[in-house]
Amino acid sequence: MADDRDIKIYVKKDNEESGEFDALSEDIRRHISNGNKDKAVRLGSQMAAIKPEDGAVNIDTENLPAAELYQIRVLFTFVAEYAVRRNISDDFLADTVSAAMYDYLKTNEKGYYDNISDGGAFTFYLLALNKDGDIAENIGEQFANRLSINNDEIRNFGAKIFSKSYELFEKMIKNADFRI
């Protein structure tokens, strides 16, 4: 009797997987050729560069201590990522914008990037998104907690930062004019 332990069975590659890969590859090529990829990189860099003290988000940051300015910046970065995920339905473009944001920070603001890159900076804001109630109020509450200043004025200020920065980032995304 023949020993068939060394017989190999050929398993045909799944056509569905191959088709998905081909579609994804074509999608990426299309975004590169129509300029969407370059727009996404530019948008991500612009979003990452927004700081509390530059006035892009219409909030009063005059005379705020460095710790509060830092927490506002963290919230800006979180809201930028949130706005990207909510307003860009194409995964490739959304991922490209996000990657460009973090590449910008890694290159231009290494210390800040190192502080936020472990994901812990956004954990409580992510939890606030899933909490019942008004998202801006929930974010404002977490903002106050991050500052260890638990009062209505700071909670309302955090909610205002969320709302106004979301408006700005949403407008920036729309103005990027991606061709889908």
Side-chain angles (χ1 to χ4, degrees):
M1 182 162 191
D3 184 6
D4 55 336
R5 285 182 289 181
D6 62 341
I7 295 176
K8 295 185 179 168
I9 299 175
Y10 175 75
V11 178
K12 187 176 179 184
K13 189 175 181 181
D14 187 355
N15 282 338
E16 187 176 318
E17 281 181 22
S18 179
E20 287 177 22
F21 179 77
D22 291 343
L24 180 60
S25 295
E26 179 55 37
D27 191 42
I28 292 169
R29 279 192 291 277
R30 181 175 50 83
H31 286 306
I32 291 170
S33 69
N34 71 11
N36 280 349
K37 181 181 182 277
D38 290 338
K39 289 177 184 179
V41 170
R42 203 168 28 256
L43 175 62
S45 295
Q46 290 168 346
M47 292 172 88
I50 293 177
K51 298 178 183 175
E53 54 275 8
D54 67 18
V57 177
N58 189 21
I59 55 170
D60 182 18
T61 59
E62 194 173 326
N63 300 320
L64 289 180
E68 287 184 35
L69 290 172
Y70 174 78
Q71 286 303 323
I72 293 170
R73 180 73 189 283
V74 170
L75 185 50
F76 280 179
T77 306
F78 174 79
V79 175
E81 179 74 30
Y82 176 69
V84 165
R85 298 300 166 184
R86 298 239 340 161
N87 291 282
I88 302 176
S89 59
D90 185 280
D91 289 339
F92 173 76
L93 291 178
D95 291 346
T96 302
V97 173
S98 291
M101 282 176 32
Y102 294 111
D103 285 347
Y104 174 91
L105 293 173
K106 203 182 314 180
T107 301
N108 298 292
E109 300 178 47
K110 179 94 170 89
Y112 175 71
Y113 173 80
D114 289 344
N115 285 339
I116 65 164
S117 65
D118 69 356
F122 300 147
T123 301
F124 294 100
Y125 292 130
L126 285 168
L127 293 172
L129 291 177
N130 296 320
K131 189 176 173 184
D132 289 338
D134 183 80
I135 290 175
E137 288 177 13
N138 294 342
I139 294 290
E141 183 179 336
Q142 288 306 316
F143 177 76
N145 289 341
R146 300 301 96 227
L147 291 171
S148 299
I149 306 172
N150 199 7
N151 66 42
D152 286 343
E153 182 181 352
I154 295 296
R155 282 192 293 276
N156 291 337
F157 185 51
K160 181 178 178 180
I161 293 166
F162 173 82
S163 297
K164 292 207 174 265
S165 61
Y166 184 83
E167 278 177 26
L168 173 66
F169 294 129
E170 185 177 49
K171 182 179 178 182
M172 291 173 75
I173 291 166
K174 286 179 182 168
N175 288 342
D177 196 29
F178 293 118
R179 292 183 221 147
I180 302 296

